[in-house]
Amino acid sequence: MSPLQIIEHPLFKAHQIEVYIKRDDLIHPIISGNKWRKLKGNLSYAKAKGLKGILSFGGAYSNHLHALAYACQQQELAAKAVIRGEPEYLTNYTLSWAMHWGLEPIFVDRQTYRQREQAEYLAALATQFPDYLIVPEGGSNQLALSGLAELVEELNQQISFDTLMLPVGSGGTIAGIINADQCQHQILGIAVLKQADYLRNNINQLLSTSQNQTAKTFNNWQLLTEFHRGGYGKFSDQDCLRLAEFIAQTGVPFEPIYSGKIVLALLDLIAQGYFPAGHKIVLLHTGGLQGLGGQIERGLLPNEFIKAVQSHLPSAPQVQ
């Protein structure tokens, strides 16, 4: 069970809001946050079916592929990944570790990568790799939902709250939480990419095929699409400086692509009076801190932010 902690901030006090954070970033030093939650059911299924391994998709700095490689290595499963990019990326922070844990990369161009959800392309991969479970980009499928149900059970044991906030990339995490929560709380997703309205359909599709329920059963969630900070992987130096200040005030590390965007959205929403006084909010920290290694490697982060997270930077331990 990941810990829950209260976080203090002058804005929270001024608006009489209580804010807690579910520290899923502390689940494991390598497979942290929602990546582990979503992979757990897929790994169990692959083992139960006697499959050789898992094949999935991602970019050259993917948190999902980083976690997949290590998880498969630990479960004695093979891991393959269709990667958008060129073989030169193999030496970057993320993929060098993934390769260390046995990931077999399949590099494709952007045009080919766009086919990753098309039935014909997936059928061809299934024919080429018949002993592999094919898992979507980000790990968002039906098998992922059970791991998120465990998260909801943990929260219900830890705290009584009004709203759970989380970043949304592919939709699997929020769908699993909505499904398990069964309309007990408000679920507020913050889309981390531009033009993310399509995610509502993805989420509804996952909900509709779960436990023979319809998506209309769930009326307690929202997806806010205006807090993406410029798009997926996009953020400004000002965003980073605001995050650095928040990290210094709370002692909790965030990165600017996923977890940091819910922090900035929360601050903006509270300042706008979005939540009533007395509201109790839980932020879900979905991990992904390994991504800081690649961002620093590429010179994407201002020095002030690097200083704020320096003591929190993950150093992946050697596999025994």
Side-chain angles (χ1 to χ4, degrees):
M1 179 184 292
S2 63
L4 182 84
Q5 69 182 79
I6 191 167
I7 49 178
E8 306 284 355
H9 189 277
L11 192 65
F12 306 161
K13 186 175 182 180
H15 289 261
Q16 301 176 54
I17 304 291
E18 286 185 48
V19 180
Y20 296 79
I21 183 162
K22 176 69 167 162
R23 298 291 305 272
D24 262 17
D25 58 309
L26 299 179
I27 287 177
H28 188 275
I30 298 174
I31 324 173
S32 69
N34 64 336
K35 301 310 176 190
W36 167 242
R37 301 279 189 185
K38 290 192 287 186
L39 281 172
K40 189 174 181 181
N42 283 283
L43 292 166
S44 295
Y45 179 87
K47 294 279 282 188
K49 293 294 184 180
L51 298 177
K52 182 178 179 180
I54 292 177
L55 182 150
S56 194
F57 309 83
Y61 293 90
S62 167
N63 288 329
H64 167 62
L65 297 185
H66 182 270
L68 175 70
Y70 181 81
C72 284
Q73 191 263 357
Q74 293 295 296
Q75 294 293 316
E76 298 182 343
L77 290 167
K80 293 182 185 292
V82 176
I83 300 174
R84 182 188 66 248
E86 303 293 334
E88 65 194 49
Y89 286 116
L90 284 177
T91 57
N92 76 29
Y93 179 88
T94 298
L95 288 185
S96 61
W97 275 112
M99 292 285 289
H100 175 74
W101 296 316
L103 181 75
E104 182 179 332
I106 304 168
F107 287 98
V108 298
D109 58 30
R110 290 182 179 273
Q111 183 176 356
T112 303
Y113 193 77
R114 291 191 192 102
Q115 302 177 50
R116 65 192 180 280
E117 296 178 0
Q118 295 179 11
E120 185 176 350
Y121 181 63
L122 292 173
L125 286 175
T127 299
Q128 187 177 358
F129 305 108
D131 295 329
Y132 282 75
L133 173 65
I134 298 178
V135 174
E137 181 181 45
S140 293
N141 59 7
Q142 280 295 311
L143 293 170
L145 301 190
S146 62
L148 280 310
E150 292 179 3
L151 182 149
V152 172
E153 290 172 8
E154 290 177 20
L155 272 176
N156 286 335
Q157 294 173 33
Q158 291 172 315
I159 191 173
S160 173
F161 64 97
D162 300 302
T163 294
L164 174 66
M165 282 185 67
L166 69 153
V168 178
S170 56
T173 299
I174 192 171
I177 288 172
I178 295 165
N179 180 66
D181 184 75
Q182 292 292 305
C183 296
Q184 295 179 72
H185 308 95
Q186 292 299 310
I187 311 299
L188 188 60
I190 304 298
V192 301
L193 61 162
K194 279 202 298 190
Q195 300 175 331
D197 291 324
Y198 74 92
L199 283 173
R200 293 188 181 93
N201 290 330
N202 290 8
I203 294 164
N204 281 323
Q205 185 175 11
L206 285 167
L207 292 173
S208 295
T209 53
S210 176
Q211 300 179 2
N212 297 317
Q213 300 178 101
T214 66
K216 292 180 180 178
T217 304
F218 307 99
N219 58 6
N220 63 319
W221 65 279
Q222 286 183 281
L223 179 69
L224 303 185
T225 59
E226 66 268 36
F227 295 101
H228 52 72
R229 328 306 298 189
Y232 181 71
K234 304 290 186 181
F235 49 85
S236 67
D237 283 356
Q238 184 59 36
D239 292 334
C240 287
L241 293 178
R242 289 179 68 196
L243 271 180
E245 182 181 13
F246 192 84
I247 293 167
Q249 289 170 320
T250 63
V252 181
F254 298 93
E255 45 71 41
I257 292 179
Y258 290 97
S259 60
K261 289 185 179 180
I262 61 165
V263 168
L264 299 180
L266 174 70
L267 295 176
D268 291 345
L269 289 169
I270 291 177
Q272 295 165 15
Y274 184 90
F275 302 103
H279 209 70
K280 192 179 290 187
I281 302 165
V282 174
L283 298 182
L284 175 60
H285 197 315
T286 53
L289 294 175
Q290 77 82 26
L292 290 169
Q295 291 155 25
I296 291 172
E297 187 176 70
R298 289 176 285 169
L300 300 179
L301 301 173
N303 289 332
E304 292 86 346
F305 182 83
I306 295 174
K307 290 176 184 176
V309 298
Q310 196 71 54
S311 63
H312 303 287
L313 287 177
S315 56
Q318 295 287 338
V319 178
Q320 299 298 318

